[in-house]
Amino acid sequence: TRLAIARDVHAYDIDSGHWRKVGDIPVARGRLGSVAVTVGDRVYLFGGYSVAAHGRETTTPDVLRFDPATGRFASETTMPVPVNDTVALPWRDRWIVLVSGWHDSGNVRDVQIYDTRTKHWSSGTPWPGQPVFGHAGGLVGDSMVVCDGVTAAKGADGRHRFAISNA
C-alpha cells in the first residue's frame, strides 16, 4: 500500500560491510521509481513518483542533492520534464544525462542533461528508439549504452499494454 513507501536513506560502509540509516528523504510521502547518481562528492536524486490516497501515481519534478559528509539533503532544481524509472548517467564528472523514462501517463523520448556546476538543463537528441521505462545504461568516456526497458502503448480500451523491449 502507499503507506508502506519508506523515506529512509541508508549508507553502506565498504570497510565494515554494514548498512546504517543516515536520514530520511525530505518529502511528504516518499518516492518510488527515483534514480540516484553521484557526481563529485554529492549524490543527486531525480524524480520518482508518489501515490495519492485514491491510488493515482504522480511523477514528481524534484531533484534533491545529498551531501554524504553532512547527511543532509538540499533542493537542487526541478526537471523540465519530470520522469521516474529513467536512466541517470554521470558524464565527465559534471553533467547528468537522463534518458527516456515514465511521466504520469506514458513514456517520454526526452533526453535531459543537467549541468551540476551551472544548475541549468539542456535537451539532448531525443531517444531514437521506442521510449521506455525501467531500462539500464552506462557511460564509458563519451560512449553511452542504454538497453532493454518496458514500452507502453494504449490499447483500444484506453488501458496501457506493456511489453519488454530488447533494444
Side-chain angles (χ1 to χ4, degrees):
T1 70
R2 70 180 182 85
L3 300 176
I5 300 171
R7 296 174 37 234
D8 301 3
V9 177
H10 291 85
Y12 181 73
D13 185 314
I14 294 171
D15 295 330
S16 72
H18 292 94
W19 287 92
R20 65 182 170 86
K21 184 174 177 181
V22 294
D24 291 314
I25 298 171
V27 296
R29 293 188 301 225
R31 294 285 185 269
L32 296 165
S34 297
V35 295
V37 66
T38 301
V39 172
D41 58 354
R42 302 290 191 270
V43 178
Y44 295 84
L45 182 68
F46 292 88
Y49 64 94
S50 60
V51 181
H54 53 74
R56 178 171 165 78
E57 298 173 358
T58 303
T59 303
T60 61
D62 308 323
V63 178
L64 302 172
R65 183 183 67 250
F66 179 71
D67 182 347
T70 65
R72 297 185 187 272
F73 278 94
S75 180
E76 177 77 2
T77 184
T78 56
M79 289 178 276
V81 177
V83 287
N84 54 264
D85 295 301
T86 186
V87 165
L89 303 168
W91 183 35
R92 295 188 178 182
D93 208 30
R94 176 176 180 171
W95 294 280
I96 299 169
V97 181
L98 302 181
V99 180
S100 198
W102 184 269
H103 172 77
D104 283 346
S105 61
N107 290 337
V108 298
R109 285 194 138 75
D110 299 82
V111 173
Q112 305 176 81
I113 303 167
Y114 182 64
D115 187 329
T116 61
R117 292 185 193 159
T118 65
K119 299 186 180 195
H120 287 101
W121 288 94
S122 59
S123 294
T125 302
W127 181 242
Q130 198 169 9
V132 292
F133 71 92
H135 42 313
L139 238 170
V140 176
D142 290 335
S143 296
M144 177 174 59
V145 175
V146 177
C147 58
D148 298 331
V150 177
T151 61
K154 293 264 185 177
D157 61 0
R159 297 179 60 147
H160 281 103
R161 302 287 187 252
F162 299 102
I164 295 173
S165 170
N166 66 356

